[in-house]
Amino acid sequence: MEGAMNFRQFLLFAGCLLWSVVATADWYTNEQAIMGTVIRTELWSDDPLTAGEAIRLVNEEMHRIDRLMSTYKPDSEISQVNRDAAEKPVRISAELLDLLARGIEMSRLTGGAFDITYASIGQLYDYRAGVRPDEQQIAAALPAIDYRFVELDLDECTVFFSRHGVRIDLGGIAKGYAVERGVGILRAQGIEHGLISAGGDSRILGDRRGAPWIVGVRDPRNSDRVIARLPLIDEAISTSGDYERFFEEDGVRYHHIISPATGHSVSEVRSVTIIGPDATMTDGLATSVFVMGLEDGLRLIDSLDDFEAVIVDRHGALHRSGGFLPPQQ
Ligand code: AMP
Ligand code: MG
C-alpha cells in the first residue's frame, strides 16, 4: 500500500523519534559531597547515557581516592601508614607510593614549604570544634616535621618513617590529583568539553564549546564577590585560601595551612591561585606559595614554565606572576 508505513518503517520512525527526544546534546552537571568537599562535574555530551555513565565513573573514582587517602578513615591506606611506618617499612600501593613521591618532590621544589609531615602538628587541630595545639604541644611535635623522615623504597614499594611521631597527610595535593584523574575518565569516555572541581581545585577539559571557560577567583573575605575572572582552556586551576577551614580566637585566624618551619598557620597572604597544565601540581603549588608568601612565592612561579599565579596579600591587594595576561575584572 503506497503512502502507508510497513511495520519495519514504523519501528525505524519511532526509534528515530525516540532518539531525537532522548539524545539531546547538552551540558550536564552533577554535584556530590565527597572527600569533605563538593565534587562538581560539568560536561558536554550528545548522549545522556554517556553523560550519566561518565559522571557515575567520576564520582566512583572520587570515593576510591578518598578511601585510599583520607586520614579520617582509620582503614585507609594512609591511616595504616601513619599507624605503622615508624615501626617498620609498610608496603603500599604503587599509586600511594607515586603520590608520596610527588609530595616529596614538591617539598624539594619549594625548599620545604610544602611538607606532607606538617600533619605531625596538623593532626592536633580540629577547626570545626575550634581546637588547636598550645605552644608546648607545638614545640614538642615540631621536630617530627621534615619530609626527609619519609623514606620510600621504590623497588619494595614501601614507606618508612625514620622518626617516631611523624604523621603524613596528602590534603595539599589530593584534591588536585582527584580532579586530574576525573578528567582522565571523562577523556576516556570520549568527552571533549568538561570541568571537574573539588573545592578550590578544578581541572578543565577543552573549551566551553567555542569559548574559554571563565573561572572566578573569589574575594577571600567575601564569598559573594569575585575579584578576578580567568579565561581558561584545557588547564588546571587551584586556589588555597585562609577561609577554607579556620576559626578565630582573640582576633587570630587559625587556619589549615601550616608552616613546617614554625608549626603555626601562615598569615602572609589570604589566597593563592595557581594555573597550569596539571592539577596535582597546581594544588601543591597553591599550598606551597601560600606558605612561602608573596615575594618568594612569585619568584618560584616565575621560575617555572607553564605556571602562573594570582595572589591576594594580607592587606587584600592583588598580585600576579610575570607571564600573566591582565585578568578581567
Ligand atoms: P589546599 O586545600 O590545597 O589549600 O591545602 C591545604 C591542605 O594542605 C590542608 O588542609 C592540609 O591538609 C595540607 N597542608 C597544610 N599545610 C601544609 C604544608 N605546609 N605542606 C603540605 N600540606 C599542607
Ligand atoms: Mg593545595
Side-chain angles (χ1 to χ4, degrees):
M1 230 182 358
E2 228 182 312
M5 272 187 219
N6 65 28
F7 188 61
R8 244 180 100 113
Q9 284 169 327
F10 170 76
L11 275 185
L12 195 64
F13 171 75
C16 286
L17 193 67
L18 187 69
W19 183 248
S20 69
V21 171
V22 173
T24 43
D26 208 345
W27 289 102
Y28 295 84
T29 59
N30 177 269
E31 287 190 356
Q32 295 274 316
I34 312 173
M35 305 178 96
T37 190
V38 176
I39 305 291
R40 182 181 169 82
T41 304
E42 221 175 314
L43 60 87
W44 173 270
S45 176
D46 54 15
D47 174 18
L49 294 179
T50 305
E53 178 64 359
I55 287 168
R56 190 186 68 76
L57 289 171
V58 167
N59 288 332
E60 197 175 271
E61 177 69 354
M62 299 298 156
H63 280 297
R64 190 190 66 79
I65 293 171
D66 192 36
R67 282 195 298 272
L68 186 75
M69 286 193 247
S70 170
T71 50
Y72 297 103
K73 292 185 166 40
D75 55 349
S76 70
E77 220 184 334
I78 202 148
S79 293
Q80 224 169 305
V81 168
N82 276 331
R83 260 194 312 272
D84 299 338
E87 304 298 332
K88 56 179 194 305
V90 175
R91 187 174 279 277
I92 54 177
S93 62
E95 185 177 19
L96 184 58
L97 187 80
D98 183 52
L99 262 173
L100 294 181
R102 293 188 73 174
I104 291 168
E105 230 171 86
M106 186 58 70
S107 297
R108 295 205 181 102
L109 179 69
T110 62
F114 189 91
D115 193 324
I116 56 174
T117 66
Y118 89 91
S120 310
I121 285 180
Q123 65 168 347
L124 304 173
Y125 284 89
D126 183 338
Y127 298 97
R128 264 189 225 155
V131 172
R132 65 183 175 87
D134 60 27
E135 289 307 318
Q136 235 177 335
Q137 287 171 298
I138 290 179
L142 195 57
I145 298 186
D146 191 329
Y147 63 92
R148 282 163 286 217
F149 294 139
V150 181
E151 296 182 358
L152 303 180
D153 186 326
L154 301 184
D155 298 324
E156 295 295 320
C157 216
T158 61
V159 54
F160 176 64
F161 297 161
S162 59
R163 190 187 202 288
H164 276 273
V166 173
R167 289 283 177 285
I168 57 169
D169 188 319
L170 287 166
I173 49 172
K175 285 188 266 124
Y177 175 71
V179 297
E180 194 67 46
R181 293 278 307 186
V183 160
I185 286 172
L186 294 189
R187 228 183 260 122
Q189 295 297 306
I191 308 288
E192 291 173 355
H193 311 275
L195 178 152
I196 301 180
S197 67
D201 298 289
S202 302
R203 179 66 167 88
I204 286 163
L205 174 63
D207 65 359
R208 212 174 186 291
R209 289 184 41 87
W213 294 79
I214 306 293
V215 179
V217 177
R218 63 159 271 193
D219 180 336
R221 293 292 175 267
N222 179 354
S223 58
D224 294 332
R225 198 170 154 251
V226 170
I227 52 169
R229 286 177 216 283
L230 307 172
L232 300 173
I233 295 171
D234 243 332
E235 294 241 51
I237 177 166
S238 293
T239 298
S240 289
D242 64 6
Y243 50 82
E244 291 274 358
R245 256 188 284 157
F246 75 99
F247 63 92
E248 280 185 342
E249 207 181 288
D250 300 329
V252 179
R253 179 175 286 241
Y254 297 95
H255 67 83
H256 67 318
I257 302 176
I258 307 288
S259 159
T262 67
H264 291 107
S265 302
V266 190
S267 51
E268 284 263 306
V269 299
R270 292 180 181 173
S271 82
V272 174
T273 299
I274 305 285
I275 294 163
D278 174 83
T280 314
M281 283 295 291
T282 57
D283 189 359
L285 284 171
T287 311
S288 306
V289 169
F290 196 104
V291 173
M292 296 170 85
L294 186 60
E295 282 82 21
D296 287 353
L298 280 180
R299 203 171 304 123
L300 171 69
I301 296 302
D302 283 335
S303 76
L304 300 174
D305 290 340
D306 304 331
F307 292 91
E308 300 297 341
V310 176
I311 301 177
V312 179
D313 70 19
R314 65 167 173 270
H315 308 293
L318 201 65
H319 305 261
R320 297 189 299 266
S321 58
F324 227 112
L325 296 171
Q328 300 172 350
Q329 294 285 344

